[in-house]
Amino acid sequence: MGAMSARPNTEAAAQQAENNAPHRAGFACFVGRPNAGKSTLTNALVGRKVAITSNRPQTTRHTVRGIVHRDDAQLILVDTPGLHKPRTLLGERLNDIVRTTWAEVDVIGFCLPADQKLGPGDKFIVKELAGIKKTPKIAIITKTDLVEPKVLAEQLLAVAALADELGFEWAEIVPVSAVKEEQEQGRGSSNKGDDGRGAGQVGLLADLIAPLLPESPPLYPEGDLTDEPEMVMVAELIREAALEGVRDELPHSIAVVVEEMLPREDRPADKPLLDIHANVYIERPSQKGIIIGPKGKRLKDVGTKSRKHIEALLGTPVFLDLHVKVAKDWQRDPKQLRKLGF
């Protein structure tokens, strides 16, 4: 770099420097209280649905990686479950996954919703982050579309003050609205805010993370969006559909296992069909009726909704065969947890 400073500062030289900039690649993870907008942010950055999003807390169980391909960098997003006070064996395992992930990534993004005051849960997480010395940390204020500018400004100041208090500095503090960005993209609009930046600022977030990654060639082939096995992603899509609209006590009680995915035989090449057989597991027989619904209507809706997402993900028509089974108190039973993939 020293040799370059002798050159005249022309546009051509700047372009040349940019072209010579080393390619970067690495892992970033979003952390935050359950339901802080981590999965939605992952999906917005990757531009396609890869992590399960739900408006109820504690639905992400797998470390789903979304992969953002750029000319200058490849950003691999690791989506962790929310860190929380564990009440069950499953809860403890989820927290272990989070801490293991933090120790292995190149950048950590702490997500804080704009519409909720900094609470004890956030402080608990930031305190843990303060102990991870070398990894750059970005504070990301999510769901900015839900608040007035004044409230957003207060939140930005509060998160900066918290780092000060704990003796570290955020590499960046960024406000984003992944939902707003999605809507803009959906309308094909390049609508910019008054400040000239995209309303959702998700692209800006990627710009800020990229330089913090180590120099490296791409770690995944162009076109890969996630390294999760397809069966796991299909299970997550079914689980997401099953969570919608069920009573509050059910979110933790649902697990989905895809038993098999097989191309239907004797189909013409231009009309393939994939048979998917999956089991939806709940903890108690009394929960069966909630999932199945009157005359099986709820389960049918779950099948219809998840099938659409699965077909979009796999790019092929799908026949989905769903069964509801009871795995008694599976969250507290190590053997059952292993069987269900935890």
Side-chain angles (χ1 to χ4, degrees):
M1 295 234 356
M4 265 168 40
S5 57
R7 283 195 198 137
N9 188 9
T10 62
E11 207 170 297
Q15 187 62 47
Q16 176 71 27
E18 203 168 289
N19 292 345
N20 285 344
H23 186 278
R24 295 177 179 274
F27 294 83
C29 78
F30 297 137
V31 302
R33 265 186 295 160
N35 210 19
K38 302 181 294 289
S39 296
T40 308
L41 199 53
T42 299
N43 292 338
L45 276 163
V46 177
R48 187 168 151 188
K49 194 175 184 88
V50 291
I52 168 174
T53 56
S54 156
N55 60 359
R56 49 179 83 248
Q58 268 312 201
T59 52
T60 306
R61 292 237 181 93
H62 293 281
T63 304
V64 179
R65 292 174 173 83
I67 303 165
V68 182
H69 301 273
R70 298 162 51 105
D71 291 341
D72 60 336
Q74 187 180 73
L75 170 59
I76 299 127
L77 300 165
V78 186
D79 190 38
T80 58
L83 193 74
H84 63 297
K85 257 201 171 97
R87 287 195 301 274
T88 61
L89 181 62
L90 174 66
E92 283 170 36
R93 290 212 181 157
L94 292 175
N95 278 359
D96 289 345
I97 292 170
V98 178
R99 291 195 184 92
T100 309
T101 304
W102 293 3
E104 292 169 354
V105 296
D106 301 298
V107 180
I108 299 172
F110 167 64
C111 294
L112 176 70
D115 62 336
Q116 292 169 31
K117 284 229 183 312
L118 260 170
D122 300 306
K123 290 175 181 165
F124 169 67
I125 291 168
V126 176
K127 207 168 172 182
E128 294 249 340
L129 290 182
I132 302 169
K133 299 293 180 210
K134 288 189 177 144
T135 314
K137 294 167 273 288
I138 294 180
I140 305 160
I141 311 297
T142 61
K143 309 186 185 185
T144 55
D145 52 302
L146 301 179
V147 299
E148 297 296 316
K150 179 174 174 290
V151 177
L152 177 57
E154 284 166 7
Q155 194 74 310
L156 294 169
L157 289 169
V159 78
L162 182 58
D164 273 353
E165 204 180 295
L166 294 167
F168 77 95
E169 203 178 321
W170 300 109
E172 302 281 352
I173 301 178
V174 201
V176 298
S177 166
V179 172
K180 202 163 177 181
E181 184 111 337
E182 231 169 57
Q183 289 165 351
E184 300 295 354
Q185 286 171 353
R187 287 198 295 268
S189 152
S190 60
N191 183 22
K192 304 270 179 196
D194 293 341
D195 58 359
R197 288 185 300 220
Q201 288 187 292
V202 171
L204 170 68
L205 178 61
D207 292 343
L208 295 173
I209 294 174
L212 299 172
L213 301 173
E215 292 182 19
S216 161
L219 303 170
Y220 287 86
E222 180 75 49
D224 279 12
L225 291 176
T226 173
D227 75 348
E228 275 289 283
E230 284 178 341
M231 281 171 97
V232 173
M233 291 184 69
V234 166
E236 286 288 82
L237 290 170
I238 295 167
R239 190 162 171 270
E240 178 177 18
L243 281 171
E244 276 182 35
V246 296
R247 284 194 208 157
D248 288 348
E249 72 268 21
L250 242 62
H252 305 298
S253 308
I254 299 173
V256 175
V257 176
V258 174
E259 299 296 338
E260 57 178 16
M261 287 172 40
L262 297 168
R264 177 85 56 98
E265 286 176 18
D266 308 328
R267 297 280 294 190
D270 58 340
K271 287 194 176 160
L273 182 69
L274 190 66
D275 285 318
I276 298 179
H277 301 278
N279 292 327
V280 178
Y281 287 96
I282 39 158
E283 291 195 296
R284 295 189 293 283
S286 59
Q287 296 170 337
K288 218 169 177 176
I290 299 172
I291 290 287
I292 293 172
K295 296 186 177 162
K297 185 179 180 311
R298 245 206 79 59
L299 192 63
K300 200 172 169 193
D301 289 350
V302 170
T304 308
K305 189 166 245 172
S306 55
R307 196 183 73 240
K308 268 195 209 134
H309 287 309
I310 294 164
E311 289 180 339
L313 173 76
L314 302 177
T316 181
V318 160
F319 172 79
L320 184 58
D321 176 38
L322 285 183
H323 293 272
V324 180
K325 298 194 169 186
V326 179
K328 202 163 167 12
D329 291 333
W330 62 264
Q331 291 191 63
R332 295 169 195 281
D333 177 348
K335 211 161 79 193
Q336 303 246 41
L337 278 170
R338 272 198 302 279
K339 183 185 162 199
L340 298 175
F342 302 111

